[in-house]
Amino acid sequence: MIKRLYKYTSFWLLLMLLLYLLFGFFYAPKLIEKHLNVQIQQHLEMQAEWSSLKFNPITFTLELSDLQLTDRKHQTWYSSQKTAINFDPFNLLWGQWQFSNLILKQPNITLSTDESGQVIIPALPEFSVASDPEESIDLIINNIELNQGLMNLQAGNIKKDFELNIQNISIKQNKFSLTDENSYFDLTMTTENGESVTLNGHYNHAQQHLQSKINLNNWQASTLNQALPNELMVNNQSGLIQAEGRIDWPLQHKPLLNFNHIQIDNLGSLWHNSIQLIGLSANMEQLEINTETKEIKMDRFHSGQASWQLNWPLALPDASNTPSSTENQSTVKPWSVSIKQIDITNWPIELIDREVAATLPINIESLAITSFNTQSEPVLLHSIIQVTQHGTITINSELGLSPLYTEGKLNLEMIHLPDLASWITAQSGMVITKGSLSGQQNFKYHPDNFEINGHVTVIDGFIQNQAGQEVVDFGQLMIGETSINSTNHTIIFDQITLDHANGRIIEDNHKAIDPQSLGSSEAINQDNTIADHWTIKIGTIKSLNTPNNADN
């Protein structure tokens, strides 16, 4: 006798499977939709909207189309074309939501902070540190993947159109919890340009506190253009940046960044269309950026490769066109910068003076700056600069930036004067076709005064006026005392010795240079003063081995 169908175990199993599938495909999405909305609103104080929700009871995959998240201030900060979640239902038996994969397709994420670094979009809820674990979700997400996304970053000092085209974000963690405990994670984000940032650390959701290692790999300097304020007018054209360090960020406050090492390779940049930087390679060690106290500290900056081009005069922006008023600037605490040691070698610089249509190549052979700071503490500077082919300038000085001042010594050795002829002619009317300058000068600069004094020697000099007439030709010119003083607008040359001189230097009864002998009515007026009311005074002149036809 044939058994009835309902007496077979397989029948009941098949019926149960059918009911399960009907429940999973048709009823479960409504149940999940209701529960998901409640949880998002209860724990995140946010609203979620989507066009469709699908649940596959076989693979335990939940798929949301056109998902949008709006924070408690009604600001939409997240949207995506598709969100897929795969979870393990068996962990629900002990109250744990465990997701093996969270896949976000074409998400658009907006993050915004104020000038202090506090996150304002999305508006995060305030959590009590002593949250009751019984009322919190036990949530674990093993892996998060983001594909073809766009991240819009906005901050008080960052341009509003700073966008990152994200190729992929992968997050791996052992547990994400909404209770007061650390959730450890490993996050890697890759942009379409092959740039990547890696975060490895922990996040406490109840305290809204993130602490993590951070690594930047192959970040293009041109990407930073979007993050720089418009008023800086900096255009990075090439270069890669690598960095490793740590970030400590209470999301309700301001982040602290500590970088052990930052490496810059082949940076090319243009500033105000006046200064061009080509091929900068540099290293920064132990850089700390404290946005709470507005302090930037660095142990060492070193660069051994860079080329510069300076166009003079600099095309600086009009200060009256800056958006912030003087009143607002006075209420904002300025950033302070301190660098223990700056070491620079081999920086060739091409100075292009558009006013006199001349070019001067120089090379910073070495530059050492100790205790650089924007406060009132003194800064020590030592530099050796190559000017022309064989000439060098050595500088040893102390300077301060608040207020601005500098005092030091200048050593000049074999400066080829014809390479400076355009500037000398523009300022004095003299045309120098031969000569090398050496000497030592002490200098002081303060906002209300500057002084220069010392001695100089010129060998094998030949000077003409602008009409091409010889003024003087000498084997050696020694000036034992030179002085420039801005307080009394006086330039003094004293203890002058001419050796093997030939030519005409005409003086009047007051020992002032006769401008007619120089042939310039622009640089020096008829009253023997410089056009800006500076007076040149000539002291004693001694001639050695001078032919009888020389006029002294």
Side-chain angles (χ1 to χ4, degrees):
M1 184 176 178
I2 301 177
K3 292 184 179 180
R4 296 182 182 273
L5 186 60
Y6 62 84
K7 292 185 177 181
Y8 285 95
T9 304
S10 57
F11 168 77
W12 291 108
L13 292 176
L14 183 60
L15 181 60
M16 290 178 62
L17 178 60
L18 181 60
L19 292 174
Y20 168 75
L21 294 177
L22 291 174
F23 174 84
F25 280 109
F26 296 103
Y27 182 73
K30 296 181 180 180
L31 188 62
I32 294 174
E33 182 173 357
K34 179 181 178 180
H35 185 72
L36 187 60
N37 256 324
V38 170
Q39 293 297 326
I40 291 176
Q41 188 171 7
Q42 178 181 348
H43 294 280
L44 300 178
E45 297 183 14
M46 297 183 183
Q47 299 290 334
E49 296 181 359
W50 51 80
S51 60
S52 66
L53 185 151
K54 298 179 182 178
F55 175 71
N56 189 326
I58 299 176
T59 60
F60 293 98
T61 301
L62 177 66
E63 183 178 305
L64 300 170
S65 299
D66 302 323
L67 174 63
Q68 285 190 350
L69 292 178
T70 304
D71 64 17
R72 56 192 174 94
K73 293 185 178 180
H74 309 292
Q75 304 169 119
T76 300
W77 66 276
Y78 174 87
S79 63
S80 63
Q81 185 185 80
K82 185 176 72 172
T83 301
I85 306 172
N86 183 272
F87 70 97
D88 183 358
F90 296 104
N91 289 276
L92 292 175
L93 297 177
W94 45 86
Q96 183 182 80
W97 290 77
Q98 181 169 347
F99 298 94
S100 58
N101 283 292
L102 172 60
I103 300 174
L104 312 176
K105 184 177 180 181
Q106 294 185 2
N108 192 323
I109 304 171
T110 298
L111 297 177
S112 180
T113 66
D114 58 18
E115 292 186 356
S116 67
Q118 180 176 337
V119 177
I120 56 178
I121 299 179
L124 300 174
E126 297 182 1
F127 291 94
S128 172
V129 175
S131 297
D132 186 359
E134 298 294 333
E135 299 179 359
S136 302
I137 299 177
D138 189 359
L139 177 66
I140 295 178
I141 304 176
N142 294 324
N143 186 55
I144 301 176
E145 293 184 9
L146 183 152
N147 297 306
Q148 300 174 350
L150 181 66
M151 182 175 290
N152 180 26
L153 303 178
Q154 302 176 0
N157 294 323
I158 296 180
K159 290 162 46 178
K160 298 302 181 182
D161 59 349
F162 183 26
E163 296 181 345
L164 287 177
N165 291 316
I166 301 172
Q167 185 181 64
N168 182 70
I169 289 182
S170 177
I171 302 177
K172 296 181 180 179
Q173 55 186 30
N174 60 352
K175 182 178 182 180
F176 178 81
S177 175
L178 298 180
T179 61
D180 185 16
E181 59 180 314
N182 293 333
S183 300
Y184 293 88
F185 65 90
D186 189 348
L187 180 150
T188 300
M189 180 183 72
T190 306
T191 70
E192 290 184 347
N193 296 326
E195 305 152 320
S196 68
V197 57
T198 301
L199 296 174
N200 181 266
H202 62 264
Y203 171 68
N204 189 303
H205 188 68
Q207 299 181 17
Q208 297 185 20
H209 192 180
L210 183 146
Q211 293 178 302
S212 171
K213 296 180 180 178
I214 181 171
N215 287 276
L216 304 177
N217 297 302
N218 298 322
W219 278 84
Q220 298 184 15
S222 56
T223 301
L224 300 181
N225 290 338
Q226 298 184 69
L228 297 175
N230 283 325
E231 54 269 22
L232 286 182
M233 295 184 67
V234 174
N235 181 17
N236 294 317
Q237 300 167 328
S238 63
L240 293 176
I241 301 174
Q242 326 280 345
E244 60 179 26
R246 296 190 63 86
I247 180 172
D248 188 347
W249 191 2
L251 299 186
Q252 298 292 342
H253 298 284
K254 306 169 187 178
L256 172 66
L257 292 167
N258 281 283
F259 289 102
N260 300 324
H261 181 77
I262 297 178
Q263 179 178 332
I264 303 173
D265 295 311
N266 197 32
L267 176 64
S269 185
L270 185 65
W271 182 62
H272 287 290
N273 294 320
S274 296
I275 300 178
Q276 184 173 13
L277 170 62
I278 304 171
L280 170 69
S281 293
N283 292 289
M284 305 179 194
E285 298 176 3
Q286 301 301 324
L287 171 64
E288 178 184 291
I289 304 175
N290 191 328
T291 60
E292 180 73 33
T293 59
K294 287 193 172 182
E295 293 179 321
I296 298 177
K297 298 179 181 179
M298 187 189 307
D299 279 0
R300 185 170 184 257
F301 175 91
H302 170 72
S303 174
Q305 180 180 336
S307 296
W308 295 81
Q309 185 181 86
L310 275 64
N311 292 277
W312 186 267
L314 299 178
L316 298 177
D318 187 356
S320 62
N321 294 330
T322 55
S324 56
S325 64
T326 305
E327 181 179 354
N328 291 335
Q329 290 179 358
S330 63
T331 60
V332 177
K333 178 184 177 181
W335 281 81
S336 67
V337 179
S338 62
I339 306 175
K340 292 182 179 179
Q341 186 68 37
I342 299 176
D343 295 307
I344 293 170
T345 57
N346 190 32
W347 268 16
I349 301 174
E350 183 181 28
L351 175 62
I352 302 174
D353 193 328
R354 291 172 287 199
E355 291 184 338
V356 298
T359 300
L360 176 66
I362 64 176
N363 182 59
I364 300 179
E365 294 183 354
S366 65
L367 172 63
I369 301 176
T370 305
S371 302
F372 175 86
N373 67 93
T374 56
Q375 305 302 309
S376 58
E377 297 179 7
V379 180
L380 302 179
L381 182 148
H382 173 76
S383 180
I384 299 176
I385 303 173
Q386 180 180 352
V387 182
T388 70
Q389 186 174 1
H390 301 291
T392 59
I393 299 176
T394 302
I395 304 173
N396 288 285
S397 70
E398 175 183 295
L399 59 92
L401 299 179
S402 180
L404 179 63
Y405 79 91
T406 179
E407 299 180 4
K409 294 183 178 181
L410 195 67
N411 186 69
L412 310 173
E413 185 174 351
M414 300 301 291
I415 306 299
H416 192 225
L417 292 178
D419 293 332
L420 307 176
S422 297
W423 291 274
I424 295 175
T425 301
Q427 296 298 320
S428 67
M430 295 185 294
V431 179
I432 296 183
T433 59
K434 288 176 56 181
S436 296
L437 173 68
S438 299
Q440 291 182 345
Q441 298 289 317
N442 296 319
F443 60 89
K444 295 180 181 180
Y445 172 82
H446 293 267
D448 55 351
N449 178 52
F450 72 87
E451 299 178 21
I452 302 176
N453 59 80
H455 62 85
V456 295
T457 300
V458 181
I459 61 174
D460 295 328
F462 188 88
I463 302 176
Q464 296 176 327
N465 60 23
Q466 294 188 35
Q469 299 171 327
E470 177 184 349
V471 176
V472 66
D473 177 9
F474 54 85
Q476 187 179 64
L477 168 63
M478 293 181 291
I479 305 177
E481 179 183 349
T482 62
S483 176
I484 300 176
N485 191 306
S486 67
T487 301
N488 52 28
H489 293 119
T490 303
I491 301 176
I492 299 175
F493 300 102
D494 198 4
Q495 302 176 22
I496 302 173
T497 301
L498 275 168
D499 192 4
H500 290 88
N502 181 36
R504 300 189 307 165
I505 297 180
I506 302 174
E507 309 165 21
D508 60 15
N509 295 330
H510 302 286
K511 293 293 183 179
I513 293 178
D514 182 358
Q516 299 301 320
S517 69
L518 302 177
S520 172
S521 60
E522 297 179 358
I524 301 180
N525 295 323
Q526 294 299 324
D527 60 357
N528 300 324
T529 61
I530 298 179
D532 291 335
H533 306 292
W534 282 72
T535 301
I536 299 178
K537 294 184 178 181
I538 305 296
T540 60
I541 301 177
K542 181 180 181 181
S543 299
L544 302 175
N545 303 312
T546 302
N548 294 329
N549 62 343
D551 296 324
N552 299 316

